[in-house]
Amino acid sequence: MLETNFCGIKLKSPLVLASGILGTSPELMQRIANSGAGAVTTKSIGPIEREGWKNPTVIELEHGLLNAVGLPSPGYNNMEEEFSELNKIKVPWIASVYGSSIEEYVKVAEYVSKKNPSMIELNISCPNSKAHGQIFGINPEIAKEITQKTKQACGKIPIMPKLTPQATDICEIAMACEEGGANAICAINTVQGMAIDIEMRKPVLSNKMGGLSGPAIKPIAIRCVYQIFEKVKIPILGMGGITRGEDAIEMIMAGATAVGVGSAVYYNGIDCFKKINSEMENWMKKNKVKNLEEIKGAAHK
Ligand SMILES: Cc1cc2nc3c(=O)[nH]c(=O)nc-3n(C[C@H](O)[C@H](O)[C@H](O)COP(=O)(O)O)c2cc1C
Protein backbone atom coordinates (compact mmCIF):
# COMPACT_ATOMS: atom_id res chain seq x y z
CA MET A 1 0.00 0.00 0.00
CA LEU A 2 2.80 2.43 0.89
CA GLU A 3 5.35 1.23 -1.70
CA THR A 4 6.83 4.17 -3.55
CA ASN A 5 9.16 4.55 -6.50
CA PHE A 6 11.38 7.55 -5.91
CA CYS A 7 13.76 8.29 -8.80
CA GLY A 8 13.79 4.62 -9.79
CA ILE A 9 14.55 3.58 -6.19
CA LYS A 10 11.98 1.24 -4.68
CA LEU A 11 10.91 2.26 -1.17
CA LYS A 12 8.66 0.10 1.02
CA SER A 13 7.39 3.32 2.63
CA PRO A 14 7.59 6.93 1.35
CA LEU A 15 9.05 8.01 4.71
CA VAL A 16 12.73 9.02 4.65
CA LEU A 17 14.83 9.88 7.70
CA ALA A 18 15.88 13.54 7.18
CA SER A 19 19.55 14.53 7.24
CA GLY A 20 21.24 15.47 10.50
CA ILE A 21 18.80 13.87 12.88
CA LEU A 22 20.82 10.80 13.79
CA GLY A 23 24.30 11.63 12.56
CA THR A 24 25.95 9.00 10.42
CA SER A 25 25.70 6.14 12.91
CA PRO A 26 24.80 2.96 10.98
CA GLU A 27 23.34 1.27 14.10
CA LEU A 28 20.83 4.06 14.63
CA MET A 29 20.07 4.12 10.91
CA GLN A 30 19.33 0.37 11.03
CA ARG A 31 16.95 0.92 13.94
CA ILE A 32 15.19 3.60 11.92
CA ALA A 33 14.93 1.16 8.99
CA ASN A 34 13.50 -1.51 11.30
CA SER A 35 10.95 1.00 12.55
CA GLY A 36 9.56 1.36 9.00
CA ALA A 37 11.48 4.14 7.21
CA GLY A 38 11.72 3.59 3.44
CA ALA A 39 15.20 5.17 3.29
CA VAL A 40 17.64 7.01 5.55
CA THR A 41 19.79 10.10 4.99
CA THR A 42 23.17 10.70 6.64
CA LYS A 43 24.11 13.90 8.43
CA SER A 44 25.62 16.22 5.81
CA ILE A 45 29.19 15.09 5.12
CA GLY A 46 31.75 17.84 4.56
CA PRO A 47 35.22 18.33 3.11
CA ILE A 48 37.15 18.51 6.38
CA GLU A 49 36.78 17.44 9.98
CA ARG A 50 34.59 20.02 11.74
CA GLU A 51 33.50 20.14 15.36
CA GLY A 52 30.33 22.19 15.05
CA TRP A 53 29.12 24.82 17.49
CA LYS A 54 29.33 24.75 21.30
CA ASN A 55 26.29 23.81 23.41
CA PRO A 56 23.47 24.65 23.55
CA THR A 57 22.97 23.60 19.94
CA VAL A 58 19.37 22.31 19.99
CA ILE A 59 16.50 23.79 22.01
CA GLU A 60 12.88 22.77 22.14
CA LEU A 61 10.37 25.56 21.59
CA GLU A 62 6.59 25.41 21.83
CA HIS A 63 5.97 24.26 18.24
CA GLY A 64 9.39 23.30 16.94
CA LEU A 65 13.10 22.86 17.48
CA LEU A 66 15.73 25.52 17.00
CA ASN A 67 19.15 24.11 16.15
CA ALA A 68 22.59 25.40 15.33
CA VAL A 69 24.58 22.21 15.38
CA GLY A 70 26.97 23.74 12.84
CA LEU A 71 27.50 20.82 10.45
CA PRO A 72 29.97 18.80 12.54
CA SER A 73 31.59 16.20 10.28
CA PRO A 74 34.45 13.73 10.54
CA GLY A 75 35.40 14.73 6.97
CA TYR A 76 34.46 12.72 3.88
CA ASN A 77 37.69 10.73 3.71
CA ASN A 78 37.57 9.73 7.35
CA MET A 79 34.45 7.59 7.28
CA GLU A 80 35.37 4.26 5.69
CA GLU A 81 33.88 2.21 8.52
CA GLU A 82 30.60 4.15 8.47
CA PHE A 83 30.31 3.78 4.69
CA SER A 84 30.82 0.04 4.79
CA GLU A 85 28.28 -0.34 7.65
CA LEU A 86 25.77 1.91 5.87
CA ASN A 87 25.79 -0.55 2.98
CA LYS A 88 24.60 -3.32 5.30
CA ILE A 89 21.40 -1.45 6.19
CA LYS A 90 18.29 -3.10 4.76
CA VAL A 91 16.93 0.10 3.16
CA PRO A 92 18.52 2.53 0.65
CA TRP A 93 20.76 5.21 2.16
CA ILE A 94 21.14 8.74 0.88
CA ALA A 95 24.45 10.57 1.35
CA SER A 96 23.97 14.25 2.20
CA VAL A 97 27.01 16.39 1.33
CA TYR A 98 28.11 20.00 1.70
CA GLY A 99 31.09 22.18 0.83
CA SER A 100 32.18 25.78 1.09
CA SER A 101 32.87 26.15 -2.63
CA ILE A 102 31.53 24.56 -5.81
CA GLU A 103 34.79 22.58 -6.12
CA GLU A 104 34.38 21.21 -2.59
CA TYR A 105 30.83 20.03 -3.26
CA VAL A 106 32.08 18.21 -6.37
CA LYS A 107 35.07 16.70 -4.55
CA VAL A 108 33.00 15.38 -1.61
CA ALA A 109 30.12 14.17 -3.82
CA GLU A 110 32.47 12.38 -6.24
CA TYR A 111 34.25 10.59 -3.40
CA VAL A 112 31.05 9.62 -1.60
CA SER A 113 29.38 8.47 -4.85
CA LYS A 114 31.91 5.60 -4.96
CA LYS A 115 30.68 4.34 -1.56
CA ASN A 116 27.47 3.01 -3.04
CA PRO A 117 24.74 5.37 -1.75
CA SER A 118 21.39 5.16 -3.57
CA MET A 119 21.35 8.93 -3.98
CA ILE A 120 23.34 12.07 -3.21
CA GLU A 121 21.63 14.99 -1.48
CA LEU A 122 23.35 18.35 -2.01
CA ASN A 123 22.83 20.45 1.11
CA ILE A 124 22.86 23.91 -0.47
CA SER A 125 20.53 25.25 2.20
CA CYS A 126 21.96 25.07 5.72
CA PRO A 127 20.98 28.26 7.58
CA ASN A 128 23.65 27.86 10.24
CA SER A 129 26.75 28.77 8.35
CA LYS A 130 26.86 31.10 5.38
CA ALA A 131 30.09 29.54 4.23
CA HIS A 132 28.43 26.13 4.10
CA GLY A 133 25.52 26.26 1.78
CA GLN A 134 22.83 28.82 2.37
CA ILE A 135 24.39 31.29 0.00
CA PHE A 136 24.44 28.65 -2.77
CA GLY A 137 20.79 27.76 -2.31
CA ILE A 138 19.51 31.28 -2.88
CA ASN A 139 21.37 31.84 -6.16
CA PRO A 140 19.93 30.01 -9.21
CA GLU A 141 23.14 30.18 -11.29
CA ILE A 142 25.26 28.73 -8.48
CA ALA A 143 22.62 26.09 -7.63
CA LYS A 144 22.60 25.05 -11.30
CA GLU A 145 26.38 24.92 -11.55
CA ILE A 146 26.79 22.82 -8.38
CA THR A 147 24.14 20.41 -9.67
CA GLN A 148 25.66 20.18 -13.15
CA LYS A 149 29.21 19.61 -11.93
CA THR A 150 28.35 17.06 -9.23
CA LYS A 151 26.12 15.25 -11.70
CA GLN A 152 29.03 14.97 -14.15
CA ALA A 153 31.32 13.73 -11.37
CA CYS A 154 28.95 11.15 -9.87
CA GLY A 155 28.03 9.03 -12.88
CA LYS A 156 24.65 7.32 -12.65
CA ILE A 157 23.87 8.15 -9.00
CA PRO A 158 20.79 10.40 -8.75
CA ILE A 159 21.51 13.91 -7.49
CA MET A 160 19.03 15.77 -5.26
CA PRO A 161 19.69 19.40 -4.24
CA LYS A 162 18.07 20.36 -0.92
CA LEU A 163 16.49 23.82 -0.99
CA THR A 164 15.94 26.57 1.53
CA PRO A 165 12.54 28.22 1.97
CA GLN A 166 14.45 31.47 2.36
CA ALA A 167 15.14 31.89 -1.37
CA THR A 168 13.17 34.83 -2.74
CA ASP A 169 11.61 32.45 -5.26
CA ILE A 170 12.13 28.77 -4.43
CA CYS A 171 10.71 27.73 -7.82
CA GLU A 172 13.46 29.63 -9.61
CA ILE A 173 16.07 27.61 -7.67
CA ALA A 174 14.22 24.31 -8.26
CA MET A 175 13.99 25.00 -12.01
CA ALA A 176 17.69 25.93 -12.17
CA CYS A 177 18.58 22.62 -10.46
CA GLU A 178 16.36 20.71 -12.89
CA GLU A 179 18.09 22.43 -15.81
CA GLY A 180 21.41 21.46 -14.26
CA GLY A 181 20.36 17.79 -14.41
CA ALA A 182 19.00 17.19 -10.89
CA ASN A 183 17.07 13.92 -10.59
CA ALA A 184 14.96 15.10 -7.65
CA ILE A 185 14.44 18.09 -5.35
CA CYS A 186 14.45 17.96 -1.56
CA ALA A 187 12.45 20.71 0.18
CA ILE A 188 12.74 22.16 2.75
CA ASN A 189 15.68 22.74 5.08
CA THR A 190 15.12 24.62 8.34
CA VAL A 191 14.02 28.28 8.54
CA GLN A 192 16.41 30.71 10.24
CA GLY A 193 15.24 31.75 13.69
CA MET A 194 16.37 32.96 17.10
CA ALA A 195 15.43 32.78 20.78
CA ILE A 196 16.52 35.13 23.58
CA ASP A 197 16.76 34.22 27.27
CA ILE A 198 15.16 37.29 28.88
CA GLU A 199 16.70 36.61 32.33
CA MET A 200 20.21 36.40 30.89
CA ARG A 201 19.43 39.03 28.22
CA LYS A 202 21.33 36.87 25.76
CA PRO A 203 20.59 34.65 22.74
CA VAL A 204 19.94 31.08 23.89
CA LEU A 205 21.96 29.32 21.21
CA SER A 206 25.73 29.64 21.34
CA ASN A 207 25.64 30.47 17.62
CA LYS A 208 22.89 33.08 18.38
CA MET A 209 20.77 32.06 15.38
CA GLY A 210 19.67 28.64 14.26
CA GLY A 211 17.30 26.71 12.03
CA LEU A 212 13.67 26.20 13.02
CA SER A 213 12.13 22.78 12.28
CA GLY A 214 9.12 20.76 13.40
CA PRO A 215 5.35 21.51 13.30
CA ALA A 216 5.90 25.31 13.24
CA ILE A 217 7.33 25.11 9.70
CA LYS A 218 4.86 22.62 8.17
CA PRO A 219 2.73 25.27 6.39
CA ILE A 220 5.90 26.77 4.88
CA ALA A 221 7.05 23.33 3.69
CA ILE A 222 3.63 22.50 2.21
CA ARG A 223 3.60 25.85 0.38
CA CYS A 224 7.11 25.29 -1.04
CA VAL A 225 6.39 21.75 -2.25
CA TYR A 226 3.08 22.87 -3.78
CA GLN A 227 4.82 25.66 -5.69
CA ILE A 228 7.77 23.52 -6.83
CA PHE A 229 5.43 20.72 -8.03
CA GLU A 230 3.85 23.17 -10.50
CA LYS A 231 7.21 24.13 -12.01
CA VAL A 232 9.36 20.99 -12.28
CA LYS A 233 8.87 17.46 -13.60
CA ILE A 234 11.38 15.71 -11.32
CA PRO A 235 10.11 14.09 -8.09
CA ILE A 236 10.13 15.93 -4.75
CA LEU A 237 11.18 14.69 -1.31
CA GLY A 238 8.99 16.95 0.86
CA MET A 239 9.84 17.60 4.50
CA GLY A 240 9.24 20.05 7.31
CA GLY A 241 7.04 19.42 10.35
CA ILE A 242 5.80 15.93 9.49
CA THR A 243 4.84 14.14 12.72
CA ARG A 244 1.58 12.29 11.84
CA GLY A 245 0.24 10.15 8.99
CA GLU A 246 -2.15 12.96 8.08
CA ASP A 247 0.81 15.36 7.66
CA ALA A 248 2.49 12.93 5.26
CA ILE A 249 -0.74 12.58 3.23
CA GLU A 250 -0.98 16.41 3.09
CA MET A 251 2.62 16.62 1.83
CA ILE A 252 1.90 14.05 -0.89
CA MET A 253 -1.24 15.97 -1.92
CA ALA A 254 0.97 19.07 -2.25
CA GLY A 255 3.08 17.10 -4.73
CA ALA A 256 5.75 15.16 -2.84
CA THR A 257 6.62 11.62 -3.96
CA ALA A 258 8.50 10.82 -0.74
CA VAL A 259 8.27 12.46 2.68
CA GLY A 260 11.11 13.35 5.06
CA VAL A 261 10.82 12.99 8.83
CA GLY A 262 13.27 14.78 11.12
CA SER A 263 12.17 16.55 14.31
CA ALA A 264 9.44 13.96 14.93
CA VAL A 265 12.24 11.57 15.91
CA TYR A 266 13.19 14.03 18.69
CA TYR A 267 9.61 14.32 19.85
CA ASN A 268 8.40 10.74 19.48
CA GLY A 269 11.49 8.52 19.26
CA ILE A 270 12.72 6.16 16.60
CA ASP A 271 9.41 4.29 16.49
CA CYS A 272 7.64 7.32 15.02
CA PHE A 273 8.09 5.80 11.54
CA LYS A 274 5.93 2.80 12.46
CA LYS A 275 3.24 5.11 13.85
CA ILE A 276 3.21 7.47 10.82
CA ASN A 277 3.08 4.48 8.40
CA SER A 278 0.10 2.95 10.17
CA GLU A 279 -1.71 6.31 10.38
CA MET A 280 -1.20 6.72 6.62
CA GLU A 281 -2.54 3.23 5.95
CA ASN A 282 -5.59 3.84 8.15
CA TRP A 283 -6.36 7.07 6.31
CA MET A 284 -5.96 5.35 2.94
CA LYS A 285 -8.26 2.46 3.91
CA LYS A 286 -10.89 4.85 5.23
CA ASN A 287 -10.73 6.91 2.04
CA LYS A 288 -10.46 3.91 -0.33
CA VAL A 289 -7.08 5.00 -1.67
CA LYS A 290 -5.11 1.99 -2.95
CA ASN A 291 -1.73 3.58 -3.53
CA LEU A 292 -0.01 6.93 -3.00
CA GLU A 293 0.21 7.73 -6.74
CA GLU A 294 -3.58 8.19 -6.64
CA ILE A 295 -3.27 11.18 -4.32
CA LYS A 296 0.08 12.67 -5.40
CA GLY A 297 -0.49 16.34 -6.21
CA ALA A 298 -4.25 15.92 -5.56
CA ALA A 299 -4.48 19.46 -4.18
CA HIS A 300 -3.60 20.87 -7.63
CA LYS A 301 -6.62 19.42 -9.44
C1 LIG B 1 19.32 18.84 14.84
C2 LIG B 1 19.13 18.98 13.36
C3 LIG B 1 20.24 18.81 12.51
C4 LIG B 1 20.11 18.93 11.13
N1 LIG B 1 21.19 18.73 10.32
C5 LIG B 1 21.05 18.78 8.96
C6 LIG B 1 22.15 18.46 8.10
O1 LIG B 1 23.25 18.08 8.53
N2 LIG B 1 21.94 18.58 6.76
C7 LIG B 1 20.73 18.95 6.22
O2 LIG B 1 20.61 19.01 4.99
N3 LIG B 1 19.67 19.22 7.01
C8 LIG B 1 19.80 19.13 8.35
N4 LIG B 1 18.70 19.38 9.17
C9 LIG B 1 17.41 19.73 8.56
C10 LIG B 1 16.48 18.50 8.42
O3 LIG B 1 17.06 17.52 7.60
C11 LIG B 1 15.10 18.91 7.84
O4 LIG B 1 15.28 19.47 6.57
C12 LIG B 1 14.38 19.93 8.73
O5 LIG B 1 14.60 19.66 10.11
C13 LIG B 1 12.87 19.97 8.50
O6 LIG B 1 12.26 18.74 8.77
P1 LIG B 1 11.55 18.41 10.21
O7 LIG B 1 10.63 19.53 10.51
O8 LIG B 1 10.86 17.09 9.99
O9 LIG B 1 12.66 18.31 11.21
C14 LIG B 1 18.82 19.25 10.57
C15 LIG B 1 17.72 19.42 11.42
C16 LIG B 1 17.86 19.28 12.80
C17 LIG B 1 16.63 19.44 13.68
Side-chain angles (χ1 to χ4, degrees):
M1 200 173 204
L2 297 179
E3 294 80 25
T4 302
N5 187 321
F6 184 58
C7 269
I9 305 160
K10 285 194 182 130
L11 307 181
K12 62 180 188 200
S13 154
L15 303 181
V16 177
L17 173 69
S19 175
I21 305 301
L22 289 174
T24 44
S25 155
E27 292 107 74
L28 290 176
M29 301 272 181
Q30 183 57 57
R31 282 179 59 196
I32 291 279
N34 294 343
S35 153
V40 294
T41 313
T42 66
K43 169 112 197 120
S44 295
I45 300 164
I48 48 164
E49 188 176 348
R50 233 180 93 87
E51 275 197 7
W53 304 114
K54 288 202 185 79
N55 281 326
T57 54
V58 183
I59 54 169
E60 203 175 321
L61 302 176
E62 213 176 342
H63 302 293
L65 297 175
L66 192 61
N67 96 81
V69 176
L71 292 176
S73 168
Y76 70 110
N77 50 5
N78 221 352
M79 295 179 55
E80 293 317 310
E81 210 180 310
E82 277 105 328
F83 289 136
S84 94
E85 291 296 316
L86 281 164
N87 281 309
K88 295 183 191 152
I89 296 179
K90 300 261 159 36
V91 300
W93 66 281
I94 301 170
S96 180
V97 303
Y98 74 88
S100 54
S101 64
I102 295 178
E103 295 67 37
E104 275 186 1
Y105 273 93
V106 177
K107 185 170 74 177
V108 179
E110 185 175 19
Y111 185 92
V112 173
S113 71
K114 303 205 167 69
K115 306 297 167 187
N116 216 20
S118 295
M119 232 181 171
I120 293 193
E121 174 184 277
L122 300 174
N123 177 5
I124 55 170
S125 47
C126 179
N128 295 334
S129 162
K130 275 224 159 57
H132 292 99
Q134 174 93 319
I135 204 145
F136 300 120
I138 56 173
N139 180 317
E141 281 88 41
I142 296 179
K144 181 175 170 181
E145 196 179 335
I146 294 183
T147 309
Q148 235 162 11
K149 291 193 168 153
T150 47
K151 181 92 196 129
Q152 277 160 10
C154 294
K156 290 208 172 87
I157 301 202
I159 299 290
M160 172 171 69
K162 180 168 180 179
L163 307 191
T164 170
Q166 291 175 201
T168 311
D169 179 359
I170 197 166
C171 294
E172 194 188 12
I173 310 293
M175 288 188 291
C177 292
E178 186 177 47
E179 270 172 39
N183 302 88
I185 294 289
C186 176
I188 58 173
N189 210 318
T190 53
V191 184
Q192 199 171 32
M194 188 173 180
I196 293 170
D197 180 330
I198 58 169
E199 306 309 326
M200 304 289 285
R201 304 182 183 201
K202 271 174 45 179
V204 179
L205 290 171
S206 71
N207 187 46
K208 297 191 177 123
M209 289 169 210
L212 185 64
S213 61
I217 68 165
K218 195 186 80 175
I220 302 173
I222 298 286
R223 181 270 295 175
C224 289
V225 170
Y226 186 93
Q227 287 183 317
I228 295 169
F229 183 76
E230 301 213 323
K231 297 288 182 192
V232 303
K233 295 198 175 60
I234 50 180
I236 305 167
L237 168 56
M239 63 180 71
I242 305 301
T243 61
R244 307 169 306 146
E246 288 77 3
D247 299 331
I249 299 281
E250 186 180 351
M251 189 56 98
I252 291 167
M253 288 186 175
T257 300
V259 179
V261 176
S263 302
V265 180
Y266 269 86
Y267 290 119
N268 303 327
I270 283 174
D271 278 341
C272 68
F273 288 88
K274 194 187 277 171
K275 177 181 148 284
I276 302 175
N277 277 338
S278 80
E279 286 168 354
M280 287 177 84
E281 281 177 346
N282 288 345
W283 186 92
M284 289 167 77
K285 280 181 201 144
K286 207 165 111 200
N287 290 279
K288 301 195 171 34
V289 171
K290 290 195 188 62
N291 58 62
L292 296 171
E293 261 317 295
E294 269 181 50
I295 53 164
K296 186 165 95 187
H300 295 259
K301 284 164 196 151

